Amino acid sequence: VQLVESGGGTVQVGGSLRLSCAASGFTIGSGCMAWFRQNSGHSVEERERVGFITTDGTTRYARSMEGRFTISPDNARNTLYLLISNLRPEDASMYYCVLCTFCYAGNCYSPHDWGQGTQVNVSS
């Protein structure tokens, strides 16, 4: 399995950005997937879950991210997207997509096959 994130960059406060996660060796929709982010200076253990999408297309987001983050699949391109709207300075981070061993009760358990991440910067 390989997950390759792209689409990061520098966006002004209030702008929008769509991140992509291209999958190979895995079919989008056949397992639960999540987006995480890791802020600069924070450890791997401090990665923050943005949200996940289950096999039936149900999405769940961290409470602090509801309303501005949207996860969606493109089955034809075998790609998972994360749309970030109304960007805030605190959204500046490295964003990762990941497979979850399973998703339950609002959590992605035992995430694995992390991609290399894509960096989002927010300018004022």
Side-chain angles (χ1 to χ4, degrees):
V1 174
Q2 185 176 26
L3 302 174
V4 179
E5 301 92 339
S6 63
T10 300
V11 181
Q12 285 191 325
V13 170
S16 298
L17 195 63
R18 190 179 74 166
L19 308 182
S20 300
C21 172
S24 58
F26 173 80
T27 301
I28 296 290
S30 65
C32 187
M33 296 187 70
W35 283 92
F36 281 75
R37 68 185 187 185
Q38 180 178 352
N39 294 332
S40 176
H42 288 211
S43 68
V44 170
E45 290 73 22
E46 295 174 294
R47 283 175 174 170
E48 182 180 21
R49 179 175 59 83
V50 174
F52 64 78
I53 182 168
T54 63
T55 54
D56 66 0
T58 300
T59 53
R60 293 282 299 272
Y61 302 93
R63 187 165 297 181
S64 62
M65 302 186 196
E66 287 179 352
R68 296 192 303 115
F69 292 79
T70 305
I71 297 173
S72 62
D74 184 335
N75 295 333
R77 291 182 167 82
N78 208 36
T79 297
L80 189 70
Y81 298 110
L82 175 67
L83 175 65
I84 312 172
S85 304
N86 191 21
L87 274 153
R88 301 171 179 172
E90 57 264 35
D91 295 325
S93 189
M94 183 74 80
Y95 286 77
Y96 299 87
C97 67
V98 64
L99 300 183
C100 309
T101 300
F102 65 95
C103 291
Y104 178 75
N107 287 309
C108 163
Y109 288 91
S110 300
H112 57 93
D113 292 304
W114 295 81
Q116 85 291 345
T118 186
Q119 179 69 41
V120 172
N121 297 310
V122 183
S123 64
S124 57

